[in-house]
Structures are given as structure tokens and as C-alpha cells.
Amino acid sequence: ATVFLDHGKLAPEVLSHLKDAEVEVRAYEDFASTLQTKARDGCKVWMDIQRSNYGLFLAMGASGPKETQASPVASMKVRKNESELAGMVAAHRRDGAAMCVALSELEFLMQSHQPVTEMDVDHIVTAARAKQHGYLDNSFDTIAGFGANG
């Protein structure tokens, strides 16, 4: 098996474990060219064309991928056990509480006629979330916009 990722993100013990399991680690940048080679050599490549980007589809050549069914991985990811469901509910509740705190602070600033930028909104929302139990980091930056930036 081969996995494509950033070598720098793996601890030496993980790299050693993968090597022992006969898993080749290659740079993510090599994925499209490897896919192209596999397709050219007649290997069967399974591609979920609804979830893959067009560049990867083109890398398969004129005939496209040999197997285009949906990946079973996507459906397995959406199945949650009781513990995962409870964790999601708790996370949403904590985030909802953080958003209430952030919106309250923003409302105060607006009523005080203080200028508020999109960056201010990001900092206020992030600070409110960071105070919540279990906070590690944002999964993505706050998307805030108003007027011409909305």
C-alpha cells in the first residue's frame, strides 16, 4: 500500500510503523503522477467522481477511471456511534454558548457606536470559543463579512 502525505507531519515512530507494515510513504505532490502511471499500466483505480477533483480525473487518461462508484469511506464517515453523537451534541452546545457570548459583545460594541471590522468579529468569536472547555483550535477561520464584503 502507498500513502501520500507530508513526511514532516509524521513522527519517526509512525514512519517506522508504516515501514514495518509495508506501507510506502510518498509526497502528496506525487499523487497525480502516480495515478497517471497506474492508469497507463492498466491498474484498476477506483475513483468517486462525485468527490474527486477534475485534475485527478484527467490524470486517468482519455478513458477515465475504470471504477467510478461512490467510495464506501464517505458513507462510513457519516455513521456515528452513541459516544460520537453525544460528543457532537456537546460540541454544538459549547459552540452555541460561545456564539451567544460573542454576539452579546458585538451587540454592545455596535450600541456603543464603536467601529467593528470583520477582523474584530473573527477575534471576538475565536476568543469566545477559546474559553470553552475542550477547545483546541479553530477547524477553519471565521468567515465574516458586511456590506461590500458580505
Side-chain angles (χ1 to χ4, degrees), residues 51-122:
R51 301 180 69 84
S52 300
N53 70 47
Y54 191 57
L56 294 179
F57 181 84
L58 291 177
M60 296 300 302
S63 62
K66 295 187 186 303
E67 187 65 55
T68 59
Q69 294 179 4
S71 169
V73 174
S75 64
M76 289 188 291
K77 284 182 176 182
V78 299
R79 292 189 184 118
K80 305 293 182 208
N81 63 36
E82 291 300 318
S83 178
E84 291 169 320
L85 289 170
M88 286 175 45
V89 168
H92 283 285
R93 286 180 177 158
R94 286 191 305 271
D95 193 59
M99 287 302 297
C100 288
V101 169
L103 291 171
S104 176
E105 184 174 343
L106 289 167
E107 184 177 25
F108 173 79
L109 292 173
M110 297 298 291
Q111 288 176 349
S112 302
H113 302 288
Q114 296 183 42
V116 177
T117 68
E118 286 93 345
M119 293 300 295
D120 294 329
V121 172
D122 177 38

Side-chain angles (χ1 to χ4, degrees), residues 127-144:
R129 286 178 169 152
K131 292 178 185 173
Q132 295 295 314
H133 171 73
Y135 176 84
L136 298 174
D137 198 0
N138 288 338
S139 55
F140 56 89
D141 292 334
T142 300
I143 301 169

